[in-house]
Amino acid sequence: MTSALPAKAAAFCREMAADELADLARRHGAEDLYGRAVAVLRAGHLTPELESDLDVLDALAERELSEGFYPAHVLAYQPLPGEQASTGAQRWACPTGQCAGRGRVRPGQGADPPVCAARQTPLVPRPLDA
């Protein structure tokens, strides 16, 4: 599956928070690759080299766990012709625009945002259709 780099970075950030991918990389001698990806994300850069590293780590997860970490779907909204352009729905987004964020903002969740595992900063609510 191919995916845009921000979506790949968002998926990797979710895996960083769980530590399972770090353990997997350590067990398979890919700790330096994992560390390089973490460092690039923490520095705030999305590079072609980062995408290559993330693809290798995803393939490792796919082989070992029979499931990669890239998202199977993309949150998107396009109104029907003649309908209102905005749904009012929001998604959690990276404040720097570095990754694709993490899921939908649920009612009452705004006071306790998820935290970006790479940069240790709270994600911000943004319109789903933006």
Side-chain angles (χ1 to χ4, degrees), residues 39-107:
V40 168
L41 283 169
R42 287 193 174 143
H45 304 290
L46 297 182
T47 65
E49 295 79 19
L50 172 64
E51 186 166 22
S52 176
D53 289 349
L54 295 180
D55 288 343
V56 170
L57 291 167
D58 180 61
L60 177 62
E62 183 73 42
R63 276 193 315 273
E64 181 77 13
L65 307 171
S66 298
E67 184 176 313
F69 58 87
Y70 291 156
H73 64 281
V74 175
L75 292 175
Y77 169 77
Q78 188 166 8
L80 293 171
E83 293 297 316
Q84 184 177 2
S86 177
T87 65
Q90 293 184 312
R91 62 181 171 87
W92 289 113
C94 177
T96 63
Q98 180 172 301
C99 73
R102 185 188 316 170
R104 187 171 75 85
V105 177
R106 307 245 183 255

Side-chain angles (χ1 to χ4, degrees), residues 2 22 27-28 33 52 55 64 67 71 87-88 102 111-112 118 124 128:
T2 59
R27 287 195 312 270
H28 290 274
L33 188 79
S52 176
D55 288 343
E64 181 77 13
E67 184 176 313
T87 65
R102 185 188 316 170
D112 189 25
V124 295
L128 179 63

Side-chain angles (χ1 to χ4, degrees), residues 100-125:
R102 185 188 316 170
R104 187 171 75 85
V105 177
R106 307 245 183 255
Q109 188 182 17
D112 189 25
V115 174
C116 173
R119 305 204 54 178
Q120 298 300 309
T121 58
L123 298 177
V124 295

